[in-house]
Amino acid sequence: PDTASFDAARELIFNSSLTEGQVVQIETAAAGYNNPENFAIRFEIFSSILKTDVNKAINYGKLQIEKIDELALPELSNIRIRILSSLRIPFRNTTRLEDGFSYYTQKLNYYKIRNDSSGIALCYFVLAGFYNTSGLIDLAIYNMKKSISYLDTSIQKGTWINNTYGIASYYSKKGDINESLKYYRLVLNEKTKTPLQNFNSTVGMADVFLQANQLDSAAHYINLVKRDT
């Protein structure tokens, strides 16, 4: 396929609303590309559908995951994780949270059978967020820690930092000051953290010290936030 057909497909994808015919047209054009590019385009279709029809987007996203899992190609691992991660949002932000629990628990068991650590880590991460949304903080903490236990920090350090931040914020929400500070410090001590990760954890530290009524320590971290913004 030539560049023009690829660009034309992308132009359709970025339309505010895709018809069934446009989806078929884009998928037909994408079929000429290798699998990673094919499913990258399908991810864009999912993102476009999500803007206008949540239920249709969920069904489309689940279909792409099933196709990727059937192919079981290592080169599709990254796009699978990207779709699986994004698919949690329509479940979490609508009345379909229970469906989300069921789907990601099913996928977790599927990946466990296949000893697929990246899939397992992602499903635990998503379930942690679902439990947090449901107000079940202890289960959120448990699932996020399980997610971290399946990460390869030599190549997934950014994900490790994000998940560690999540644990810190969950402990803060629970009111466990010491555990929250411990996990925030793990992030702040990590040299590879991004400016945003540093900012969020610094704000988190300030908030925890405010909860503990340790105002001098809170002021220190508030000043760090002001310095870095």
Side-chain angles (χ1 to χ4, degrees):
D2 58 26
T3 302
S5 64
F6 181 79
D7 290 343
R10 286 183 61 85
E11 185 176 348
L12 284 173
I13 294 170
F14 289 120
N15 284 344
S16 59
S17 178
L18 291 175
T19 66
E20 293 288 345
Q22 287 173 326
V23 169
V24 172
Q25 182 180 352
I26 295 167
E27 288 181 335
T28 300
Y33 292 88
N34 64 34
N35 278 321
E37 290 174 335
N38 185 344
F39 283 100
I41 291 174
R42 289 168 182 266
F43 172 76
E44 297 299 341
I45 294 173
F46 160 78
S47 299
S48 179
I49 296 173
L50 185 57
K51 299 174 186 176
T52 56
D53 192 325
V54 169
N55 291 323
K56 186 181 291 185
I58 288 174
N59 291 335
Y60 188 84
K62 288 168 66 176
L63 178 62
Q64 305 318 307
I65 294 301
E66 297 315 306
K67 288 181 177 180
I68 292 173
D69 284 341
E70 286 176 8
L71 290 170
L73 298 174
E75 60 266 30
L76 295 179
S77 179
N78 288 340
I79 189 62
R80 181 197 59 179
I81 293 301
R82 190 177 179 193
I83 297 173
L84 262 179
S85 180
S86 297
L87 186 57
R88 78 190 194 279
I89 297 171
F91 280 120
R92 187 187 64 199
N93 294 347
T94 65
T95 58
R96 295 192 60 179
L97 185 60
E98 287 301 319
D99 292 338
F101 271 116
S102 177
Y103 176 71
Y104 281 92
T105 299
Q106 172 194 339
K107 297 308 295 182
L108 173 62
N109 292 331
Y110 176 87
Y111 295 133
K112 281 183 176 180
I113 292 171
R114 284 151 184 80
N115 197 28
D116 185 329
S117 59
S118 63
I120 294 170
L122 192 282
C123 289
Y124 273 126
F125 164 79
V126 172
L127 289 169
F130 287 171
Y131 281 119
N132 178 51
T133 299
S134 302
L136 300 172
I137 304 303
D138 285 335
L139 285 171
I141 292 169
Y142 170 82
N143 278 269
M144 194 65 86
K145 287 182 177 181
K146 291 291 288 184
S147 177
I148 284 179
S149 73
Y150 282 93
L151 294 176
D152 180 351
T153 55
S154 67
I155 59 175
Q156 295 176 294
K157 184 54 72 73
T159 303
W160 179 89
I161 293 172
N162 283 337
N163 290 11
T164 300
Y165 168 81
I167 293 172
S169 66
Y170 294 162
Y171 273 122
S172 176
K173 194 171 182 178
K174 184 182 177 181
D176 191 327
I177 303 302
N178 290 334
E179 286 298 300
S180 181
L181 291 175
K182 181 177 80 174
Y183 282 93
Y184 278 133
R185 288 189 176 110
L186 285 175
V187 175
L188 292 175
N189 290 336
E190 178 53 54
K191 293 180 180 179
T192 61
K193 62 184 178 294
T194 66
L196 179 59
Q197 290 166 337
N198 182 76
F199 173 82
N200 287 340
S201 293
T202 305
V203 170
M205 291 284 286
D207 182 61
V208 172
F209 279 122
L210 284 172
Q211 288 183 54
N213 202 33
Q214 297 181 30
L215 301 185
D216 288 343
S217 295
H220 169 71
Y221 284 96
I222 290 171
N223 288 332
L224 290 178
V225 171
K226 291 179 179 178
R227 184 197 68 185
D228 296 336
T229 54

